Amino acid sequence: MSQPRLDVNDQVKGSAWWGIHAARYFFAVPHVRGKRVLDVACGSGYGLAVLRRSAREVVGVEVELDVARRARVEVSKDTFVSIIVADGCKMPFVNGCFDVITSFETIEHIHHRARFLEEIRRVLKTDGMFIISTPNAHYTQPVNGKPRNPYHVYEYTPEELALELRNYFKYVDLFGQILSPRFKVSPFWDDQRRLPHTIEVQSMILLWRVLNKLPVILRDKLSQIFWGHPLIPTERDYEFSPSAVETAPVTVAICRQRS
């Protein structure tokens, strides 16, 4: 399941991409309470407001100027949220100035990944926390090491990711991000094509696709009747489980220097 960065339309709650991306920020919220937080590759800023729900201050770093301008509009009403235009491999911050750093779906786009992780460690406090997510290569199945997603440079297996992160952090805990099992059909085509090719399952997929073409109110009303939930999962419909690391589409890691 290739996951593009959210554009302005994807920020609307109800978009399938909103749910899967925003869920990671909500996962991070309990860890940022009262903290100074940096979000590297913040994109159009949709996650900064989520982090700000419990963080004392949030700084977003974005390398693309036009995207950073959009992010500034997104967070302009909060004086404790700021956007910096910078490369995540060379950031304009002093050593050890952030309590928590987040960077979701970023490292797979970077050629100089070691430099990126060194920079993360440099600006993170010694007792700080780094939360990162990236596609799981066991799931995405690169061909001869080359990701199928043309925008990705490298995709890690969970084992590779943990090994890489442990070069920079003493403690690394892995989680698999999965859709709640109450959703029998994922909203993403790549997930749907992996489902069993039985008549029952393929009929569910066909029904899902028919419902997805209907107006939202009617779509969700019928989905509630058939499955007991709205058709499109929200940020609350994703789980982060250590037991799902090997098979989940996305790997999330929490990294620390101290336990």
Side-chain angles (χ1 to χ4, degrees):
M1 177 173 53
S2 60
Q3 296 187 25
R5 300 175 78 178
L6 288 182
D7 65 24
V8 68
N9 294 319
D10 291 326
Q11 293 180 45
V12 177
K13 292 183 180 181
S15 156
W17 289 115
W18 161 266
I20 193 170
H21 282 277
R24 296 168 199 136
Y25 284 98
F26 282 91
F27 172 75
V29 164
H31 301 289
V32 305
R33 187 161 288 110
K35 307 291 188 179
R36 186 171 192 239
V37 181
L38 173 66
D39 185 33
V40 181
C42 68
S44 54
Y46 67 97
L48 302 180
V50 176
L51 295 172
R52 181 69 178 98
R53 292 182 176 205
S54 64
R56 181 180 81 252
E57 178 188 358
V58 181
V59 179
V61 161
E62 173 54 50
V63 71
E64 296 181 26
L65 180 58
D66 289 343
V67 177
R69 285 173 175 161
R70 259 200 342 255
R72 284 173 177 159
V73 173
E74 181 79 13
V75 300
S76 60
K77 294 180 181 179
D78 193 328
T79 57
F80 292 96
V81 179
S82 56
I83 311 293
I84 305 294
V85 178
D87 186 335
C89 294
K90 189 177 181 181
M91 296 184 283
F93 306 117
V94 299
N95 295 352
C97 59
F98 291 99
D99 301 297
V100 180
I101 299 176
T102 58
S103 192
F104 299 132
E105 307 304 284
T106 304
I107 196 170
E108 66 273 10
H109 296 272
I110 298 174
H111 287 278
H112 303 292
R113 294 179 294 281
R115 190 184 306 168
F116 170 70
L117 292 172
E118 287 170 358
E119 187 69 347
I120 293 293
R121 184 175 62 179
R122 182 186 71 80
V123 302
L124 184 66
K125 291 182 178 180
T126 55
D127 60 348
M129 176 186 294
F130 176 43
I131 309 175
I132 181 174
S133 77
T134 192
N136 177 2
H138 286 323
Y139 189 88
T140 57
Q141 299 178 340
V143 179
N144 297 322
K146 184 177 181 180
R148 299 171 188 270
N149 186 325
Y151 298 104
H152 291 180
V153 174
Y154 188 79
E155 292 173 350
Y156 292 86
T157 66
E159 297 82 3
E160 290 173 331
L161 181 65
L163 186 63
E164 180 89 283
L165 293 172
R166 286 185 181 123
N167 289 326
Y168 305 91
F169 301 95
K170 186 174 182 180
Y171 301 99
V172 176
D173 296 314
L174 298 184
F175 302 82
Q177 181 183 355
I178 55 174
L179 183 60
S180 168
R182 73 193 188 102
F183 282 80
K184 303 303 182 185
V185 180
S186 164
F188 303 108
W189 178 85
D190 200 30
D191 292 338
Q192 292 180 7
R193 72 180 179 85
R194 295 167 187 260
L195 292 173
H197 288 272
T198 63
I199 293 176
E200 180 183 3
V201 171
Q202 294 304 309
S203 297
M204 277 199 306
I205 293 173
L206 179 60
L207 175 59
W208 188 96
R209 292 176 179 175
V210 169
L211 295 183
N212 195 40
K213 295 180 181 296
L214 300 176
V216 173
I217 294 176
L218 179 58
R219 174 196 80 185
D220 285 344
K221 184 175 181 180
L222 290 173
S223 180
Q224 287 283 3
I225 292 171
F226 288 117
W227 295 306
H229 57 70
L231 191 70
I232 303 298
T234 71
E235 68 278 4
R236 295 181 296 276
D237 296 312
Y238 287 88
E239 301 174 0
F240 296 82
S241 170
S243 63
V245 165
E246 289 301 309
T247 56
V250 174
T251 308
V252 179
I254 295 181
C255 311
R256 306 176 181 88
Q257 295 290 21
R258 299 179 184 174
S259 59

